[in-house]
Structures are given as structure tokens and as C-alpha cells.
């Protein structure tokens, strides 16, 4: 199917909230990992979100170019073409963008989408993330307010991060400490600054102990009840009935989370969960197995010529794509999105 329109994306998020499931948001950095993500969502019968980080966008532009906007535009164009042939809805998103990269990443992409919308076309990306976790909350929300207005005009959803995700991703590192837990006061400040949808739709990444990177289950101390408390505080502020979930929440840093923790987060309003570390390994592990099993074919050992059939990048690339697609099916099952596509 074509890349999701703004209307379809809104329907996707609404369905996730109403039916208590979440979409895996899969980070990709190449055409191979993009194809793997598409296959994974199709195999799961799930709509989904595919996203690129600042580093992924730079990588996609080529090693001698290293331009995040060029890589993003190329990614979106490729995705729009190949996604047509899959029976699921896919939204495109840009992941963590810190303050020092706004002018070289998110702001130019919003401008491109605004130009497209003015011509009667769909925006290039369906959502963008502003990561203001490294700046004071008032500055974070001031920038978010400015970006939200521009995104709304370009028919784009903004994602904001209120709190700090520990660990490291794309060179951005944060300590693992009490700052990893968003407070109800932080949630109230967010809705007072950004509104409850009247100023444009946004998703909110509240932090409840999330940590980027690789961790075994039990090593990360998540407190999903923080999400429930934040939703309750905002619902009361807005005069909504008890049990309402006014925020569209995003779950970052989920590697090593237990099924119970993921389920609780979804029940409290998470509609999008970022998946990167696990799918990177799921892609690379079969590639490593291929290389070890065929070392004398992928290498020209002792003056021999090797075996073109096994060193052809398509041979190990297919193995990597299959492994990553399988992990995405698992993510869809864990987040309850499997079999929920709007097109079914």
C-alpha cells in the first residue's frame, strides 16, 4: 500500500489507543533493513512505523556525503516506492533529534513537507521527533511549541520527549539516575504548553526508567505506573473522566523489558515503541553465521577464487533480512499489533 497519509496515520494511532496495542517503530539505516522491516510488518499482518535516526540518515546519504537531509529524502523516496507492494500501512518517522541537529535535520525536513503540502501532496514524513531531554523542561517545551505549529501546518505529528532516557544512542549518552522518571508535574507542564490536540497532534515519550542499549531482562528498572499517574494527572487537568488516556505515549529504550512491563505500558497508553538494538542483532546474527559457515567461500583462501554464490552480498543480505523480519513479527506479537492492520 502507499505510505500512510496523515489521515491513515491518525487512524492507526487512534486504533492502537482504542484497542490497547502499540506499533513497533523500527529503526533502519539501509535499503536492506528497510525491506526487512516491510516484510516483518507484512508477515505479522500489522501496520507499522519505520524510522531513521540522525546517524541513520547520514549513513543513508553515503560515506562521502554525510548529509542527514539528503539521506532522509532518499530514504523516504525509496520507501514510498517499495511500500506500494505490501498489504500494510506504513508511516515514516525521524527518530531522536537533539537541539544541535534541528537545523540540519528536522527543520529542513518540515520545510520540505510544507512545500509538498502546499502543492497538494502528502508530507514527506508522517512524524518527527524533537529530543529535548538534554535541555531544561521550559526550553524543551518552548522549542516543542514552535515545532508543533510548523508540523501542524505541514500535516505532520510531532513527538516530544519529556524526561531523560539513559544509556547511549547515536552518540547521545545520558546517565542512569533519578532523572529517568518523568513526574506528573512534567506531564502537566507539557499539556499546558502544547495543548491537548487543538494546537496540533503530538506523541509524548515520558520516561519511566527507560535505557537505550543492550540489557538483560531485570537489569533495567522500569516503573510503568509512572505512565498511569501522568495520564491521570492530565485527565484531571482537562476535566476528563477517570481512566482516560489523553497522551499518545511512546516507549523508548525497551531492550531487555519483560512482557509484563511492555503490556503494562501499552495498557497505560503507549501506542509506539521504538525497536532498534534487537533488530540490529537480528539482522547481523544470520550474516555472521553465513560468514562462519562459508568462510572458505567468502574469502579467497590460499590463493583460491572463493565462491561467488556465497560472497555475493545478496546471499548474506537475504539471511540478514529474514532474521530481522522474524524479530519484527515477534515485536508485533509482543505489542499486540499483529493482525490489526486497517486494510484487513
Amino acid at each position: 500500500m502507499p505510505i500512510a497519509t496523515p489521515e491513515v496515520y491518525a487512524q492507526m494511532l487512534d486504533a492502537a489507543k482504542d484497542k490497547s496495542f502499540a506499533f513497533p517503530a523500527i529503526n533502519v539505516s539501509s535499503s536492506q533493513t528497510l525491506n526487512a522491516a516491510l516484510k516483518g510488518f507484512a508477515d505479522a499482518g500489522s501496520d507499522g512505523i519505520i524510522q531513521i535516526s540522525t546517524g541513520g540518515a547520514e549513513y543513508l546519504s553515503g560515506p562521502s556525503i554525510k548529509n542527514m537531509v539528503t539521506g532522509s529524502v532518499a530514504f523516504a523516496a525509496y520507501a514510498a516506492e517499495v511500500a506500494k507492494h505490501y498489504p500494510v500501512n506504513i508511516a515514516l518517522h525521524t527518530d531522536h533529534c537533539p537541539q544541535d541537529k534541528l537545523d540540519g535535520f528536522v527543520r529542513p525536513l518540515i520545510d520540505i513537507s510544507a512545500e509538498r503540502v502546499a502543492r497538494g501532496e502528502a508530507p514527506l514524513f508522517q512524524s518527527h521527533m524533537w529530543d529535548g531531554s538534554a535541555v531544561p523542561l521550559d526550553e524543551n517545551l518552548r522549542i516543542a511549541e514552535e515545532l508543533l505549529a510548523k508540523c501542524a501546518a505541514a500535516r505532520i505529528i510531532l513527538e516530544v520527549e519529556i524526561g531523560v532516557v539513559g544509556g547511549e544512542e547515536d552518540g547521545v549518552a545520558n546517565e542512569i539516575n533519578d532523572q529517568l522518571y518523568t513526574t506528573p508535574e512534567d506531564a502537566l507542564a507539557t499539556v499546558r504548553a502544547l495543548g491537548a490536540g487543538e494546537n496540533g497532534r503530538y506523541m509524548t515519550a515520558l520516561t519511566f526508567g527507560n535505557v537505550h542499549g543492550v540489557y538483560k531482562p531485570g537489569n533495567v528498572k522500569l516503573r510503568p505506573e509512572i505512565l498511569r499517574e501522568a495520564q491521570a494527572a492530565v485527565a484531571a487537568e482537562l476535566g476528563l473522566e477517570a481512566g482516560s488516556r489523553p497522551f499518545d505515549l511512546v516507549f523508548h529504550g525497551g531492550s531487555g523489558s519483560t512482557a509484563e512491563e511492555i503490556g503494562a505500558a501499552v495498557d497505560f497508553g503507549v501506542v509506539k515503541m521504538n525497536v532498534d538494538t534487537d533488530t540490529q542483532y537480528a539482522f547481523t546474527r544470520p550474516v555472521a553465521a553465513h560468514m562462519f559457515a562459508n568462510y572458505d567461500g567468502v574469502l579467497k583462501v590460499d590463493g583460491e577464487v572463493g565462491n561467488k554464490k556465497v560472497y555475493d552480498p545478496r546471499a548474506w543480505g537475504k539471511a540478514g533480512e529474514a532474521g530481522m523480519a522474524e524479530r519484527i513479527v515477534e515485536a508485533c506479537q509482543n505489542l499486540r499489533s499483529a493482525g490489526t492492520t486497517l486494510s484487513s
Side-chain angles (χ1 to χ4, degrees), residues 17 20 223-231 244-249 261-271 336:
K17 177 77 75 67
S20 288
R223 294 171 52 197
E225 68 274 11
I226 283 176
L227 304 180
R228 180 185 60 212
E229 294 164 3
Q231 295 279 36
S244 296
R245 297 173 296 170
F247 278 140
D248 292 332
L249 296 178
E261 290 167 337
I262 293 172
V266 172
D267 288 338
F268 298 148
V270 165
V271 296
R336 312 171 191 159

Side-chain angles (χ1 to χ4, degrees), residues 24-101:
I26 307 299
N27 280 73
V28 302
S29 56
S30 66
S31 60
Q32 286 184 312
T33 50
L34 169 61
N35 287 331
L38 290 169
K39 185 177 188 305
F41 283 123
D43 288 349
S46 171
D47 298 329
I49 300 168
I50 298 178
Q51 59 190 26
I52 54 171
S53 63
T54 55
E58 184 179 272
Y59 182 81
L60 277 157
S61 74
S64 62
I65 305 300
K66 295 185 177 181
N67 183 287
M68 293 179 288
V69 173
T70 297
S72 298
V73 172
F75 158 76
Y78 184 87
E81 190 60 37
V82 294
K84 295 176 184 176
H85 303 284
Y86 289 87
V88 291
N89 298 293
I90 299 295
L92 303 181
H93 176 80
T94 60
D95 199 11
H96 292 269
C97 180
Q99 187 174 21
D100 63 345
K101 294 185 178 178

Side-chain angles (χ1 to χ4, degrees), residues 290-291 294 296-299 306-313 315-316:
H290 177 92
M291 298 302 176
N294 298 284
D296 55 348
V298 297
L299 300 176
N307 183 343
K308 183 179 183 301
K309 289 184 178 180
V310 296
Y311 65 68
D312 184 332
W316 51 262

Side-chain angles (χ1 to χ4, degrees), residues 97-163:
C97 180
Q99 187 174 21
D100 63 345
K101 294 185 178 178
L102 279 172
D103 289 340
F105 188 42
V106 163
R107 285 194 175 111
L109 291 175
I110 294 174
D111 290 341
I112 290 171
S113 285
E115 293 170 2
R116 289 169 59 96
V117 169
R119 297 194 299 264
E121 302 172 10
L124 190 66
F125 285 81
Q126 286 64 60
S127 52
H128 293 295
M129 182 190 175
W130 148 236
D131 183 353
S133 61
V135 302
L137 182 61
D138 57 349
E139 184 177 3
N140 181 350
L141 293 174
R142 178 183 59 77
I143 294 171
E145 195 172 359
E146 170 235 325
L147 292 173
L148 181 61
K150 291 183 177 180
C151 283
R155 305 177 69 203
I156 297 165
I157 294 172
L158 179 68
E159 180 182 330
V160 297
E161 183 164 338
I162 308 302

